[in-house]
């Protein structure tokens, strides 16, 4: 007897052996009776032994068929284990470490996560908002969503959106301001500035150009502090449109041209990781869905 028995043959053989009839085997496998009969005849011809004795009441295993039964069952178990393992491999699971800015994490990314986690319950997300200390190249995080494009290292980056900025202050500040909201003469205004460490930011550069050496009402190191200071009426600040408007701040009519691209960056070694890819695709879609809100685009009346 040949030792060769493929799983495709084995499942037909097992179905007939267990059901005892071609009709039962066909129903179990979802095929036709004639097909099952041909498969058994072809298997017997290949093995050069009769596997079943045909009776009016059905099919019974021969001695050769009985001897082959354990081998077929081993193949069946191997196929079951293989299928189960393949299912696990296709399941998105494990931890993904995302580095991003706090102003994107809290109002945008975190509220979107229930949908992602319901679809992939074995996925675990870790969000790192201290982006200054995170180096994707050294694998401090798996991927990053930030406003600065990585310029070195084994990193793959793509632009997924744009973060729009404007000049904002509280409604009380504008009520007391000489000339109201439209006045572009800033001689009497108070501004909220950035510390020297953030002086490279487009927002910081714009404010510095307007102030021209005049002392700031307040200097901060975080965007959340800038937002709080503007809400308190301390002065005017360059803020992301979606955060400022969400906080009820009023936008000055001047265009500040401080918009920043939003980059999604992944370490090349993880570009084909299923868990990382699922999170990256989710983030890109979240940014796309919020594109108008993030850019500050205001739709006119229909």
């Amino acid at each position: 007897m040949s030792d060769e028995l493929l799983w495709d043959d084995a499942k037909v053989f097992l179905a007939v052996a267990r059901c005892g009839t071609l009709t039962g085997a066909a129903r179990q496998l979802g095929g036709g009776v004639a097909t099952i009969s041909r498969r058994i005849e072809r298997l017997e011809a290949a093995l050069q032994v009769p596997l079943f004795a045909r009776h009016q009441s059905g099919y019974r295993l021969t001695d050769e068929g009985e001897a082959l039964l354990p081998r077929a069952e081993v193949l069946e178990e191997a196929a079951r284990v293989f299928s189960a393992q393949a299912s696990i491999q296709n399941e998105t699971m494990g931890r993904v470490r995302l580095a991003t800015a706090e102003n994107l994490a809290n109002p945008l990314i975190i509220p979107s996560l229930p949908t992602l986690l319901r679809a992939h319950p074995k996925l675990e997300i870790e969000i790192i908002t201290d982006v200054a200390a995170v180096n994707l190249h050294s694998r401090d995080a798996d991927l990053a969503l930030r406003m600065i494009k990585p310029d070195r290292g084994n990193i793959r980056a793509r632009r997924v959106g744009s973060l729009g900025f404007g000049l904002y202050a509280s409604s009380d500040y504008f009520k007391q301001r000489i000339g109201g909201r439209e006045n572009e003469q800033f001689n009497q205004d108070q501004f909220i500035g950035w510390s020297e460490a953030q002086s490279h930011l487009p927002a910081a550069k714009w404010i510095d150009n307007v102030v021209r050496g005049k002392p700031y009402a307040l200097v901060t190191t975080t965007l959340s502090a800038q937002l709080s200071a503007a809400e308190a009426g301390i002065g005017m600040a360059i803020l992301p449109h979606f955060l400022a408007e969400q906080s009820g701040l009023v936008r000055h009519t001047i265009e500040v041209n401080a918009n920043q691209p939003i980059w999604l960056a992944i370490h090349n070694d993880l570009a084909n990781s299923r868990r990382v890819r699922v999170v990256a695709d989710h983030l890109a879609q979240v940014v796309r869905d919020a594109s108008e809100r993030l850019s500050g685009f205001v739709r006119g009346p229909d």
Side-chain angles (χ1 to χ4, degrees), residues 158-177:
R158 60 180 168 126
R159 181 172 176 167
V160 293
S162 178
L163 187 62
F165 286 75
L167 182 61
Y168 286 89
S170 68
S171 58
D172 287 342
Y173 182 91
F174 277 120
K175 286 175 184 176
Q176 298 169 12
R177 183 174 185 258

Side-chain angles (χ1 to χ4, degrees), residues 60-77:
R60 296 178 186 172
L61 287 169
T62 62
D63 289 345
E64 292 85 357
E66 287 283 0
L68 195 61
L69 189 61
R71 300 183 188 181
E73 289 173 339
V74 167
L75 279 175
E76 179 182 46
E77 176 61 15

